[in-house]
Amino acid sequence: MTTVVDDILQRVFDACRGESSGAVADYIPELAEVSPDGFGISLATSDGYLYEIGDTRTPFTIQSISKPFTYGLALADNGEDAVARKIDIEPSGEPFNEISLDPVTERPRNPMINAGAITSASLIHGQTAEERFERIRQSYSLYAGRQLEFNDAVYRSEAKTGNRNRAIGYMLRSFDIVENDPDAAVDLYFRQCSIDVTAADLAMMAATMANNGVNPRTGLRALSPVLVERVLSVMTTCGMYDGAGDWVAKVGLPAKSGVGGGVLAVLPGQMGIAVYSPRLDSHGNSVRGVAACRRLSRKLELHFLHVPRASASAVRGRYTVAEAPSRKRRSEIEQDALARFGHRARVYELHGDLLFSGAETAVREIGTLDEDLDALVLDVRGVDDVSDIARSMFDDLSTQLGKKGCHAAFVDPRGVLGHATSSIDPNDPGGRVFADLGSGVRWAEERVLDRYCVGPRQPMAISAGEHPVFAGLTPEQYARASAVTEIRHYARGETIVHAGDHAAGLFLVLIGEVSSTYEAPGGFRHRISTLSPGMSFGEMPLLAGTTFLLDFCADTDLTVAVISVADFESLTVDAPEVKLGLLSNLASGAYMQMNIAIKSLGQFGIGR
Ligand code: GLN
């Protein structure tokens, strides 16, 4: 299947194919031997997919495209400061082979011109010349994801004719920028320039930089993210030599060219591009390489300063617990309190990557609410990545809110905000982390009810006699019912009935809480509703003959009173008036729950 990307590559390829200006480099005799018409374009995504067209498997020497990679290795070997004392990072505006140093700092102006590159080579660690070269070759191979080979013929050719670079080496030695044998540094540089690559290799090397220094196919790290950033910065300002300004304006990607005919460009976080075409312009940049990069950048909108839209808010949803209550069944008094004061507990659902601007808009919105809050729930399940600055902004927000008496909790099963998840502990008012939204909303409701619910709260424990299902029974009828009632205890986490089970009896919750849940395909357990003392379950399979649709699991240590299926049946004959009492209590309880459910739909504007 050809994709839009393939089509665009084809069109860019066709548009540039006819361009035959420029000339192959001939100051290195061996380079003059290559076919001038070779042309290939590769694009590697930062997850390692490769698009290719044309001569993307033709080997050619990497030449100056080696410079950023050796600079990266020099940084890793010596540290940024030590390297900075040897090589500046200012654009030179001079040809790549200029024999000059910055007149003020007396250092090479940047690592992308030969003076800087030879200095980088002189900084590579290793006991012997072979070891130093081998470390360079291995480093490039890590970026490419395969073993790259050395081209001896091109190396010899350059070594024979490279007197200008030797002049640069000796100049560097005389200024003590190169501190050891300048011939050795220049020789190492010639060798690194003579490593063979293809356009496909270069695209993967670029994609490795785009992927923060890890080759997306092998998963192996070639360079640390901090150093990748540093190398890309220098490529942005200095990668295309004296054509750098024009390049940034028209292409807008950190890039590097080489006289072997390659151009490599990186869009951080997204992709790497490489073009091979050996005819060079007066700067020593591939003519069709530059032309193809310009077109690709425009068509694929790759310019790194191109902003399609201002960054969107990280807030995906915002609501109060009055608008979207938890699925915990509540008494009417509690329902009323939540309807009246639920606006003081809010849920914010955040999504996307939380970088500075997304976090800033969210934190500002929450921090400047007119309303004072008692509870805030931040649901970050939809958040992918969180930057350190965003994390500290949210920490600060919860501290600030805490001072005003508002407790903040996070729904953060993956711990993206860096807090540990904690289990449900109704006594702990602040700094909570929940694995699911329902638990977070319930927690927020409890905060509101603690403050504003005047009147009896749903108790945490009742005796069997207090259970509403027995309401209105005479003492004799109750005695008859309780004779068939068995008290059972379950440990927290225990499953009482499983989805698919047949009628298992009528379960009356006396102490603790139990939730109906189901396990999603990924293994995550979703909570459908939570029952507390005074509520019951199991009546549907019992009365309607269906199987259980959900699992019922004890959230806390749990005590229930159970009337078995057989006992419930036998009441029909043995004590019909008792059964009638139980059934009418069950029916009115069911209608009350339905009423509450309808009311909560009304809060979403449904059913009005
Ligand atoms: N080896 C070449 C040189 O130093 C590399 C130059 C380049 O690719 N721009 O002359």
Side-chain angles (χ1 to χ4, degrees):
M1 191 185 84
T2 63
T3 63
V4 174
V5 182
D6 292 309
D7 286 348
I8 290 177
L9 283 189
Q10 180 72 55
R11 267 187 272 146
V12 169
F13 186 79
D14 292 342
C16 299
R17 203 203 308 244
E19 171 63 79
S20 61
S21 64
V24 298
D26 57 5
Y27 73 99
I28 300 173
E30 192 69 19
L31 291 184
E33 301 302 313
V34 303
S35 150
D37 294 322
F39 184 30
I41 306 175
S42 298
L43 186 160
T45 59
S46 60
D47 63 357
Y49 187 81
L50 195 60
Y51 294 92
E52 302 177 73
I53 182 156
D55 304 321
T56 56
R57 301 295 167 132
T58 305
F60 56 93
T61 49
I62 190 169
Q63 296 301 338
S64 281
I65 304 173
S66 63
K67 290 168 178 170
F69 299 102
T70 297
Y71 179 57
L73 186 58
L75 290 167
D77 278 359
N78 302 276
E80 290 188 65
D81 293 345
V83 174
R85 284 194 289 275
K86 295 284 182 192
I87 315 170
D88 290 337
I89 50 169
E90 296 304 329
S92 72
E94 288 174 346
F96 65 87
N97 55 3
E98 194 65 16
I99 309 179
S100 74
L101 297 177
D102 183 278
V104 178
T105 66
E106 298 187 336
R107 290 190 283 252
R109 288 201 169 88
N110 67 67
M112 301 297 135
I113 55 170
N114 291 9
I118 293 167
T119 308
S120 298
S122 79
L123 292 170
I124 299 306
H125 289 181
Q127 297 297 321
T128 61
E130 284 79 76
E131 191 186 326
R132 287 190 278 275
F133 175 64
E134 202 40 33
R135 289 192 64 239
I136 287 179
R137 194 180 66 84
Q138 287 302 343
S139 161
Y140 298 4
S141 299
L142 274 177
Y143 285 94
R146 75 172 184 98
Q147 283 298 320
L148 299 177
E149 307 282 339
F150 174 61
N151 186 326
D152 196 52
V154 172
Y155 160 69
R156 282 174 195 281
S157 182
E158 182 164 24
K160 215 181 281 171
T161 54
N163 290 323
R164 192 179 175 95
N165 281 324
R166 287 200 184 86
I168 295 173
Y170 278 87
M171 171 192 68
L172 292 167
R173 181 69 192 88
S174 77
F175 280 87
D176 264 339
I177 295 295
V178 167
E179 292 183 27
N180 34 36
D181 177 9
D183 281 321
V186 172
D187 187 67
L188 185 56
Y189 167 72
F190 288 158
R191 284 175 190 273
Q192 75 176 46
C193 287
S194 302
I195 288 175
D196 267 338
V197 289
T198 64
D201 290 327
L202 287 182
M204 285 307 296
M205 294 172 85
T208 298
M209 290 219 232
N211 191 37
N212 260 324
V214 173
N215 180 294
R217 289 204 180 168
T218 63
L220 297 177
R221 178 168 291 288
L223 195 64
S224 72
V226 191
L227 297 185
V228 170
E229 207 172 298
R230 169 95 177 198
V231 172
L232 289 175
S233 308
V234 180
M235 285 167 68
T236 304
T237 50
C238 315
M240 300 303 276
Y241 309 119
D242 34 359
D246 188 54
W247 176 269
V248 170
K250 302 229 172 75
V251 181
L253 297 171
K256 190 69 202 78
S257 66
V259 294
V263 179
L264 162 156
V266 180
L267 182 55
Q270 298 193 38
M271 72 182 78
I273 295 174
V275 186
Y276 167 61
S277 174
R279 286 201 197 87
L280 309 178
D281 64 17
S282 57
H283 305 296
N285 295 330
S286 164
V287 176
R288 290 194 293 201
V290 171
C293 286
R294 278 191 190 174
R295 284 175 190 269
L296 277 178
S297 170
R298 211 171 44 236
K299 290 213 183 308
L300 300 174
E301 301 182 29
L302 305 181
H303 196 295
F304 67 172
L305 299 179
H306 172 72
V307 178
R309 60 179 165 80
S311 69
S313 165
V315 180
R316 177 174 59 189
R318 45 176 85 65
Y319 48 85
T320 70
V321 302
E323 289 162 344
S326 74
R327 297 198 174 120
K328 176 168 168 142
R329 296 210 207 148
R330 302 268 180 204
S331 69
E332 268 199 282
I333 287 178
E334 289 178 333
Q335 283 293 319
D336 285 348
L338 287 175
R340 287 180 50 211
F341 297 101
H343 59 274
R344 297 183 59 93
R346 285 177 193 249
V347 180
Y348 281 83
E349 291 179 2
L350 307 180
H351 69 155
D353 285 341
L354 280 189
L355 308 180
F356 169 76
S357 70
E360 192 275 337
T361 42
V363 165
R364 178 154 41 90
E365 177 179 335
I366 299 165
T368 55
L369 284 174
D370 292 338
E371 193 82 49
D372 281 342
L373 296 186
D374 294 307
L376 168 73
V377 178
L378 287 171
D379 178 2
V380 297
R381 287 172 306 161
V383 166
D384 300 315
D385 234 347
V386 186
S387 65
D388 287 343
I389 178 67
R391 206 169 280 130
S392 49
M393 286 163 88
F394 280 104
D395 280 347
D396 180 63
L397 175 71
S398 45
T399 313
Q400 299 290 336
L401 290 175
K403 286 186 190 147
K404 293 201 280 175
C406 169
H407 294 302
F410 304 94
V411 181
D412 187 10
R414 288 171 295 129
V416 295
L417 285 179
H419 307 281
T421 41
S422 58
S423 56
I424 298 165
D425 173 0
N427 302 318
D428 179 1
R432 306 295 313 279
V433 181
F434 297 98
D436 66 294
L437 178 62
S439 304
V441 175
R442 280 177 53 196
W443 165 87
E445 287 172 346
E446 299 302 333
R447 304 275 72 73
V448 170
L449 293 173
D450 284 349
R451 275 193 80 163
Y452 305 104
C453 186
V454 283
R457 297 284 302 278
Q458 192 76 29
M460 280 308 282
I462 57 172
S463 66
E466 289 166 330
H467 199 285
V469 97
F470 298 123
L473 297 190
T474 65
E476 296 72 35
Q477 288 168 341
Y478 176 67
R480 184 70 187 78
S482 78
V484 294
T485 302
E486 180 201 345
I487 301 294
R488 282 192 213 156
H489 303 283
Y490 295 92
R492 170 182 166 172
E494 226 178 303
T495 302
I496 298 144
V497 287
H498 291 93
D501 284 357
H502 289 283
L506 176 63
F507 293 80
L508 309 173
V509 183
L510 301 182
I511 303 173
E513 289 188 334
V514 52
S515 282
S516 57
T517 65
Y518 78 93
E519 199 178 309
F524 187 77
R525 218 159 244 296
H526 291 274
R527 193 187 302 267
I528 300 305
S529 70
T530 301
L531 310 180
S532 41
M535 294 167 182
S536 55
F537 61 98
E539 50 274 66
M540 269 275 282
L542 188 67
L543 300 172
T546 58
T547 54
F548 279 89
L549 297 176
L550 299 165
D551 299 326
F552 280 83
C553 305
D555 289 335
T556 62
D557 286 346
L558 185 74
T559 303
V560 289
V562 186
I563 302 177
S564 73
V565 180
D567 286 333
F568 196 74
E569 291 306 321
S570 66
L571 288 175
T572 313
V573 179
D574 300 349
E577 68 296 344
V578 173
K579 183 152 185 183
L580 196 62
L582 297 184
L583 285 175
S584 72
N585 285 333
L586 285 175
S588 65
Y591 279 109
M592 252 165 63
Q593 284 309 318
M594 205 160 76
N595 215 13
I596 288 169
I598 288 169
K599 268 196 217 160
S600 78
L601 289 180
Q603 278 149 354
F604 287 114
I606 303 166
R608 268 189 200 138

